[in-house]
Amino acid sequence: MRDFSDDHRWLSINTATVRQQRGEDWPLLQILDACAARGIRAISPWRDQVQAAGLAAVSRAVKAHGLELSGYCRGGMFTYSDAAGRQAARDDNLRALDEACELNAACLVLVVGGLPGALGGKPAHKDIADARRQVADGIAELLDDARQRNMKLAIEPLHPMYAADRACINTIEQALDVCDAVDPVQSGAIGVAVDVYHVWWDPKLRSQIERAGGKRLHAFHVCDWLLPTTDLLNDRGMMGDGVIDIAQIRGWVEAQGFAGYSEVEIFSTGNWWQRDGGEVLDTCIERHRRCV
Ligand code: ZN
């Protein structure tokens, strides 16, 4: 297992971690400058942040700073209730793929969607099995497009508390079942993003990481699970402040040959988003060395 205790070469910042500081959006180009100034070598930006800054400008800044993208957030949201919804999801995922290619991302992260309409508060039905079928079909279709562009797909299982509205793939096992179905030869074109926040509790975590193997471990996201957690979405903890044994999980991932970035991804309305962005980045560096 790699020793991170005295450098942060393998730290990546998911830019949602510093997307809004003290109530104001921190523009992506400034985030990139702040990361580069601290010797942070990789980022994972969100599409809305890229759109606000302009894809071409972000691409130029990434190259100028010599940054890498540990992933691109995000594609997915495959579920639909009518033909127009299906087409809209497909079009949006193709755009996400093209953006990921332009930015030379390591992978396009897929948050697959829940019951159609649920994210907006009006689920079209209660048939989660049907939603899961749509997800599997959508991923199979997108994989062809991703292969043509030489862009890897990473299915990110989300904690089951998000099954209704954000992702009906909730364990690594489920994600790997989809990978097996669409890519039985395990080419590496599709794999998983292991986010400790979503999967730390899973009794099968270690065995499913072993099942994934190096070819299907495309991304590793870190933060911590706070006690108590006061908001399902936006109360993620800084590494070291909660109950996840992050180093143990990193050890399992690296034992399979994963040698990429540990991507810090913290949504924190009440705490980290209330602080100075530079302070947050400095804390990420320090905790990455000590707690990841
Ligand atoms: Zn994540």
Side-chain angles (χ1 to χ4, degrees), residues 156 195 221 265:
E156 181 164 353
D195 185 325
H221 299 176
E265 184 182 32

Side-chain angles (χ1 to χ4, degrees), residues 187-217:
S187 69
I190 185 164
V192 295
V194 175
D195 185 325
V196 299
Y197 189 74
H198 296 301
V199 300
W200 70 276
W201 55 272
D202 185 350
K204 292 183 178 175
L205 179 55
R206 182 177 188 170
S207 62
Q208 292 300 316
I209 285 172
E210 289 168 355
R211 174 185 168 198
K215 278 205 153 183
R216 284 183 170 168
L217 293 168

Side-chain angles (χ1 to χ4, degrees), residues 160-171:
M161 66 184 170
Y162 304 114
D165 57 359
R166 291 177 193 276
C168 56
I169 289 183
N170 308 103
T171 61

